[in-house]
Amino acid sequence: MNVLYTTEALATGGGRDGHVAVAGTDLAFDLAVPTSMGGSGNGANPEQLFAAGFAACFHSALQLVARQRKVSVDGSSVAGRVSIGATDGGGFGLAVELEVSLPGVDKEVAQEIAEEAHQVCPYSNATRGNIDVTVTVGNN
């Protein structure tokens, strides 16, 4: 791989109830276990960060594919949902749902663009075969 960019984050304290800071930025905040998992919910959690990162990265891939196809995707968006749950093996696993909105784009074309973006997106490539990722195209 020809590395184009590297970033670093440092997690301290109690893991999911700790603190995280991204090197070289003002991005720093407390973490908290969600209330549905027995925590206080008074902070961000890794699943929220993963959902935000995946949605933003996929949106960028979507825009790249649309530009290559010369399709305007003004007003487009990607909603990312990340779920965590117990696996049969005693550990935990993730699942991702990405809902794509491409207003004004034909539903079939929008679906093709979303599927191509899923082949281009680094998050999609990193998770392929590891976690369930569902990509849907909402009402356009």
Side-chain angles (χ1 to χ4, degrees):
M1 178 175 79
N2 180 22
V3 175
L4 301 174
Y5 172 74
T6 301
T7 189
E8 179 180 338
L10 178 65
T12 57
R16 286 180 167 271
D17 276 320
H19 187 82
V20 67
V22 178
T25 74
D26 292 333
L27 185 59
F29 44 87
D30 291 331
L31 300 171
V33 175
T35 55
S36 64
M37 293 174 63
S40 70
N42 292 329
N45 63 64
E47 291 72 36
Q48 291 170 328
L49 302 175
F50 191 61
F54 207 149
C57 189
F58 195 88
H59 194 213
S60 183
L62 196 73
Q63 292 171 327
L64 171 69
V65 170
R67 273 193 312 275
Q68 290 171 340
R69 288 172 150 246
K70 297 183 177 19
V71 174
S72 174
V73 291
D74 291 341
S76 62
S77 64
V78 176
R81 293 178 194 87
V82 173
S83 300
I84 185 171
T87 64
D88 292 337
F92 292 89
L94 299 174
V96 174
E97 297 175 51
L98 300 171
E99 186 176 340
V100 174
S101 176
L102 296 173
V105 177
D106 176 78
K107 178 88 169 177
E108 187 175 312
V109 172
Q111 187 66 47
E112 290 171 4
I113 291 171
E115 289 171 11
E116 285 183 49
H118 194 37
Q119 299 307 309
V120 173
C121 176
Y123 276 65
S124 294
N125 289 331
T127 59
R128 190 169 287 109
N130 298 312
I131 65 174
D132 292 331
V133 178
T134 304
V135 179
T136 58
V137 175
N139 295 334
N140 292 336

